[in-house]
Amino acid sequence: MLECDRARRSIVQYIADGEPALPVYASLRAHLGTCASCRAEAERLRAVEGALRVMPVAAPPVGLAPEVMRRVNSLGQPPREEWRLFSWETWVPVVAFAVALLIAMISMPANLLSSMTLYELESTLRALPGQAGGWLSPMESITRNELFWVIWTSLFVTMAGVGFSLSLRNLSREATAWLAEWCDRLTDVTDRAWQRARNAH
Amino acid sequence: MSDQDPLAELVSRCQQGDTVAFAQLVAATQADTYNVAYGVLRNPQEAQDMTQEVYLRAWRALPGFRGESKVQSWLYRVTVNTCLNRRRRLRKDLVLVDAEDALVDVAARGPSVPERVTLKERNRAIWAAVARLPEKYRLVITLFYQQELSYQEIADGLVLPLGTVKAHLNRARKALAEGLRLPEEGEDAGV
Ligand SMILES: [Zn+2]
């Protein structure tokens, strides 16, 4: 029985692969020589395999392609520069830009912001209750930490890069490809800087 | 774009809005698309509607296709997603059958093969049992045996791990075989 359990585990793949004379199947083949029940299972699997290999393909109806083309022609040009609301191509860059802006805002020295309304927004953010406020408050104390700034800057660059490249995506695929490569390189540089900073610590 | 892909040139023309090139792409791939759609949906009208839907989506999405994969694999992916979504929507109106339950059901009831059968009749019974398999199993069967894709190509097309593809195929084969009662065996004749 234990033998059968072992045989049943590999027999399906063995039959499906066309019963190859591989060493891994040596014990299975030996078992099939002595066990009628597993031999019957092999016979059933062969029947299934044979049937599946000649299963008829469903042919498309004659009018299908013309109908497709009629509908495509009525659609006109593919909507290359369309901004689809709620598609990821729209909201991902928006969110990325928002995060980049938030990072830049929080990073700016307070005296630069003093005359701007942004400052008020920043203080509002800092005054946020619970987790959000708690997350923002320790930043004051670690602003001189080199590692922090490397991560912070690379996060900003990534977010801005994602926002920027995805915004251009709908305008020109070539520009996007070029930008994507450029962003990759930039990420590489920041990555290396981060590694160096981490090793230094 | 990969050099081996004969459809790559057509695709770049389609991306410029060339509908003649798209018509050629449709002509070259519609048999595969329709067969996969039929494999999932098991209904000629549904398969036809979804094939049209696939090409309309493809036409809209082609400008964003960057040639990371072959056009055919990309089309398979669009087809599978479109048809599985359709199936899900259709199933809301039908009795919900758990995929594993259905697999067990096929294994239990099996392709009913009468005492004396020709090979052709036995094959027909097995094909009928394939139609009763849950769609995720039917789908890999269609892609492997009819579209003659490799395990790796199926894995890429369905965005599944290679092991999962093999496991799906083996479970389907096993379920089909378990239910099968070959007359020459003589063991429990009553199915
Ligand atoms: Zn055995």
Side-chain angles (χ1 to χ4, degrees):
Chain A
M1 272 296 117
L2 199 72
E3 284 262 309
C4 288
D5 287 345
R6 277 234 312 274
R8 299 288 166 108
R9 268 202 291 276
S10 55
I11 195 170
V12 183
Q13 193 67 58
Y14 172 68
I15 302 289
D17 289 349
E19 304 174 45
L22 295 172
V24 281
Y25 293 125
S27 61
L28 172 64
R29 272 197 305 275
H31 179 72
L32 287 175
T34 58
C35 176
S37 153
C38 284
R39 215 160 39 231
E41 172 77 359
E43 203 47 54
R44 284 192 291 269
L45 283 165
R46 273 184 211 114
V48 166
E49 195 62 23
L52 291 176
R53 292 205 179 272
V54 293
M55 194 159 60
V57 172
V62 182
L64 184 59
E67 178 61 15
V68 166
M69 289 320 295
R70 193 191 61 74
R71 290 178 67 181
V72 164
N73 282 318
S74 73
L75 272 181
Q77 293 290 309
R80 174 176 297 218
E81 289 168 35
E82 184 188 26
W83 275 84
R84 275 169 299 163
L85 206 62
F86 303 124
S87 86
W88 69 271
E89 281 155 297
T90 310
W91 64 260
V92 171
V94 168
V95 170
F97 270 135
V99 173
L101 184 68
L102 190 72
I103 292 170
M105 229 167 61
I106 295 168
S107 315
M108 248 185 248
N111 55 3
L112 263 180
L113 284 165
S114 55
S115 58
M116 306 182 202
T117 45
L118 276 176
Y119 180 65
E120 283 160 34
L121 181 58
E122 196 205 18
S123 2
T124 316
L125 276 170
R126 280 173 199 276
L128 274 178
Q131 257 196 316
W135 181 70
L136 289 170
S137 55
M139 291 209 308
E140 216 93 56
S141 55
I142 51 170
T143 44
R144 295 198 181 281
N145 187 318
E146 185 191 339
L147 174 65
F148 168 81
W149 277 111
V150 172
I151 298 170
W152 200 235
T153 311
S154 55
L155 196 65
F156 169 74
V157 168
T158 311
M159 282 301 144
V162 166
F164 197 54
S165 72
L166 284 180
S167 306
L168 279 183
R169 186 188 156 98
N170 290 339
L171 298 176
S172 155
R173 295 195 313 118
E174 289 77 17
T176 314
W178 179 81
L179 249 169
E181 200 192 315
W182 193 75
C183 285
D184 278 350
R185 268 185 221 160
L186 210 71
T187 315
D188 239 36
V189 171
T190 46
D191 257 8
R192 251 176 277 143
W194 186 75
Q195 288 288 346
R196 224 173 292 142
R198 200 171 61 164
N199 291 342
H201 275 264
Chain B
M1 231 158 261
S2 106
D3 295 327
Q4 302 99 310
D5 195 346
L7 299 175
E9 198 255 324
L10 279 181
V11 167
S12 59
R13 276 168 58 204
C14 292
Q15 290 175 327
Q16 310 300 314
D18 184 343
T19 51
V20 177
F22 191 69
Q24 284 174 270
L25 184 70
V26 173
T29 57
Q30 63 155 340
D32 293 323
T33 304
Y34 179 82
N35 186 53
V36 172
Y38 187 84
V40 175
L41 298 161
R42 287 282 142 183
N43 175 308
Q45 189 56 52
E46 283 289 334
Q48 192 177 342
D49 292 350
M50 286 308 108
T51 304
Q52 288 186 17
E53 183 63 30
V54 165
Y55 284 112
L56 290 179
R57 282 187 192 186
W59 175 249
R60 286 191 213 105
L62 265 172
F65 177 70
R66 309 251 203 104
E68 291 111 344
S69 61
K70 286 196 173 188
V71 187
Q72 185 65 77
S73 323
W74 178 73
L75 262 179
Y76 277 135
R77 202 147 50 222
V78 177
T79 308
V80 167
N81 288 340
T82 306
C83 294
L84 287 182
N85 275 336
R86 177 65 185 159
R87 209 46 226 182
R88 246 162 258 145
R89 243 174 301 140
L90 283 174
R91 195 145 357 100
K92 279 184 186 157
D93 307 327
L94 303 168
V95 186
L96 262 159
V97 182
D98 181 61
E100 305 315 309
D101 284 352
L103 192 70
V104 169
D105 189 50
V106 165
R109 288 194 298 150
S112 46
V113 181
E115 265 305 311
R116 250 176 261 277
V117 285
T118 62
L119 178 64
K120 200 165 185 176
E121 284 168 325
R122 191 176 73 188
N123 284 347
R124 280 225 186 87
I126 294 169
W127 299 335
V130 170
R132 293 204 307 274
L133 285 173
E135 67 245 17
K136 66 177 175 183
Y137 297 103
R138 216 160 55 216
L139 180 59
V140 285
I141 293 248
T142 303
L143 294 175
F144 187 79
Y145 288 102
Q146 297 189 315
Q147 302 308 127
E148 297 179 346
L149 300 189
S150 67
Y151 294 121
Q152 188 60 58
E153 283 171 322
I154 298 173
D156 292 345
L158 301 184
V159 200
L160 281 175
L162 191 69
T164 307
V165 171
K166 285 189 173 183
H168 276 14
L169 269 168
N170 283 342
R171 294 183 71 187
R173 289 164 176 144
K174 205 172 161 67
L176 291 168
E178 266 169 22
L180 189 64
R181 295 283 178 274
L182 296 180
E184 53 265 36
E185 279 173 48
E187 54 159 44
D188 65 68
V191 175

